[in-house]
Amino acid sequence: PSNSCRAGWLKTPKGWEPVPIANSERWIVAKFLSKREYSGVDETGDPVYFKPEMRVIIFPKSVTTDRGVEVKKKEREEGPDVTIRIKNPYRNYTEYLKKNYARGGWYESLREDKRRKDLAWTLVEIKVEKLTWGGKKRLVAGIFHHPDGDFVVQFEVLETTYKKLKRDVYGCLKSFRFIPRKGSLGKTTTEGTVNLVDEKKLSPAERKKRRRERQEQAFRRSVEKLPSGWNSFTYKEFFVLHDTDRKYAKKVAARAAAVRAWLDKSFSYLGDEYVRPMIIRVCKSSDEAASYSDTSSDAWFNSESEIVTYEDKSSGARSWSFESVVRGVIRAWFYDKNPDLYIAIPAWVEYGLLQYLGTATLKGNRLCFKPDDWEKDRLREAEKAGQLKSIEELAKMTWGTYRFEYQAQSAQLFRYLFDGPGRGLKGAKSFLKDYLLTLRDVVEEKEKERKAKEKEKGKDDKPKTEEEEDEAFRKRREALRKEEQELLEEVFRRAFQGWKKSTWETMERSFRKYIG
């Protein structure tokens, strides 16, 4: 029932369990979730459900007063080796909340300075009443002042259940005390040191070695930080962390491994670029998965390197949690195989693959593909409404024009190409390969043009931290989205410029017959 945090000690409420902390987190040092889920109502009177959460956040004065970024650069043959020490921006708890709390509009309803013997602390209560997600909430925080910095113990509960939990919340805050120790509070909780190398300047063997080492290091750090009740194991090219039973976690890993093997085989023409081992974290509940993924805004959480899901036995092999793992594997695989292609993947490919692979069942080590009821219903509705799309229409559809209801048709195109008549039909059997390889080439050409223009302007916007690297990646994807229609038109023209009209007509008739 108790937890040791740095130089502080407190007694957690009975029946609350620890939640792991992401490797990149620099402020939150502990999280706990109530085993019990409480119910309430939202503004419309509809029922809402929420598991109260407690988190401990530390603001060391050695960091909050020392802001900025320190950069050290060492030249190497393959490019500069840059090490960055990040000094984060939050000065105190209030500033932290303003930049991190996004579940609704909030205001301080209470702030009182208190003292218990030689312990000075501040009690803060915050009401979350506007634009709330999942009902009105209340935050109750104790800010414990120490010469080294502030230790914050924060509770989040539903407003309608606050009275029931008030005794436990205040009991925990009143139990907090500092533990005498030597030395001062270090900076490790709020500093990040990252080492950046331009992977494109490395050889394939060097990229493989670097990716493997970085992922293994991330896995080791995760294992070292696991709270009680969590375990780990490796399964083929996957590192698995779980607090579910091992059998269920292994089932998740087996499904992920089968999807990865299918991608390796089906898209082997995309090259031999190494795809790193993937980390899968299997939480026992959706609340725990959400709490784990809710990091501070300056924490670098890359969904392409860690897949987070939860146990959902009620829906069987086609549950949403299984589908989320498939989505993560697809994205991580394409991200490593070819980043330039990944940022330009059109909606019909991503959603079609997700539906096609996400609804597959595993028999032994083999995936069995069969559409689910949702897909069949959407197809019937689209046909009845005259909304079935042609292959050309799907292939030219941008993220802005694509609609979720087209996912069933996109999945049917994959079924047609891999399992249906498209496997042996002239044109159709090379359609996807020609499309993706041309897309890759066009995007790489545009990226070279962009870099050449920036070089002419003398602009140097190379990322200096992993956060900036991630942000630059998003901006590149956003820029491509703005010119996506033009891009897809060019890809389609170049990929199929040698096709005869009769080839298209035969393929379209065959596809329409297949989905009809």
Side-chain angles (χ1 to χ4, degrees), residues 68-87:
V69 176
E70 179 183 306
V71 181
K72 293 182 179 179
K73 186 175 181 180
K74 184 178 181 181
E75 295 296 334
R76 302 172 63 195
E77 278 187 29
E78 62 269 25
D81 191 340
V82 184
T83 301
I84 299 98
R85 187 162 63 94
I86 305 165
K87 306 170 185 178

Side-chain angles (χ1 to χ4, degrees), residues 102-346:
R103 293 184 185 174
W106 56 271
Y107 67 93
E108 278 191 13
S109 59
L110 174 69
R111 176 177 283 266
E112 293 181 356
D113 291 326
K114 294 179 174 291
R115 178 169 290 276
R116 186 171 71 245
K117 295 182 179 179
D118 60 345
L119 177 65
W121 65 293
T122 302
L123 172 66
V124 178
E125 288 196 7
I126 292 166
K127 290 187 176 184
V128 187
E129 296 183 338
K130 294 181 179 179
L131 304 174
T132 56
W133 173 77
K136 295 180 180 180
K137 308 286 195 316
R138 184 179 296 215
L139 302 180
V140 181
I143 307 172
F144 300 92
H145 309 295
H146 188 278
D148 286 337
D150 287 340
F151 289 61
V152 179
V153 180
Q154 172 193 289
F155 283 87
E156 182 174 11
V157 302
L158 279 174
E159 180 63 34
T160 52
T161 59
Y162 173 60
K163 289 183 179 179
K164 296 179 183 178
L165 292 164
K166 186 174 181 178
R167 182 176 178 180
D168 289 338
V169 169
Y170 276 77
C172 175
L173 296 180
K174 289 178 180 178
S175 75
F176 185 92
R177 67 175 184 270
F178 288 110
I179 300 172
R181 60 178 173 74
K182 297 180 180 180
S184 61
L185 186 64
K187 298 183 179 183
T188 54
T189 58
T190 56
E191 275 187 9
T193 299
V194 295
N195 182 267
L196 299 176
V197 174
D198 187 349
E199 284 198 345
K200 288 187 177 181
K201 294 183 179 180
L202 302 179
S203 68
E206 289 172 326
R207 280 196 297 273
K208 177 178 179 179
K209 181 175 181 292
R210 183 171 184 270
R211 288 179 182 180
R212 179 98 197 181
E213 288 176 347
R214 292 183 70 187
Q215 198 73 335
E216 287 176 347
Q217 289 171 3
F219 181 62
R220 284 196 297 271
R221 288 197 301 271
S222 295
V223 171
E224 290 169 0
K225 296 170 68 174
L226 286 178
S228 61
W230 280 78
N231 295 286
S232 63
F233 63 90
T234 58
Y235 185 93
K236 296 185 177 180
E237 288 296 313
F238 289 86
F239 299 130
V240 185
L241 307 161
H242 67 100
D243 65 342
T244 62
D245 64 85
R246 185 182 177 90
K247 184 178 180 181
Y248 183 87
K250 189 174 180 181
K251 188 177 179 180
V252 172
R255 177 81 169 273
V259 170
R260 174 168 172 150
W262 186 91
L263 292 168
D264 286 337
K265 180 181 178 180
S266 301
F267 297 107
S268 58
Y269 53 80
L270 292 180
D272 299 324
E273 192 64 39
Y274 178 70
V275 177
R276 79 191 102 169
M278 300 173 195
I279 297 175
I280 299 179
R281 188 181 295 269
V282 189
C283 302
K284 68 171 59 175
S285 69
S286 58
D287 299 282
E288 187 175 62
S291 179
Y292 170 77
S293 302
D294 184 16
T295 60
S296 299
S297 60
D298 59 351
W300 189 71
F301 182 77
N302 189 350
S303 60
E304 276 75 42
S305 63
E306 181 173 336
I307 301 165
V308 181
T309 188
Y310 62 91
E311 184 173 8
D312 181 12
K313 294 181 178 179
S314 61
S315 301
R318 293 183 173 184
S319 71
W320 187 91
S321 61
F322 268 113
E323 191 174 299
S324 68
V325 173
V326 173
R327 179 189 292 108
V329 173
I330 293 171
R331 289 178 175 174
W333 192 90
F334 276 97
Y335 182 86
D336 276 354
K337 183 59 68 172
N338 191 305
D340 291 324
L341 175 63
Y342 172 80
I343 65 174
I345 286 290

Side-chain angles (χ1 to χ4, degrees), residues 50 68 100 132 154 162 205 238 310 325 352 363 394 401 409 428 463 483:
F50 185 74
N100 283 274
T132 56
Q154 172 193 289
Y162 173 60
F238 289 86
Y310 62 91
V325 173
K363 291 187 178 180
L394 287 173
T401 58
Q409 297 177 50
E483 55 187 38

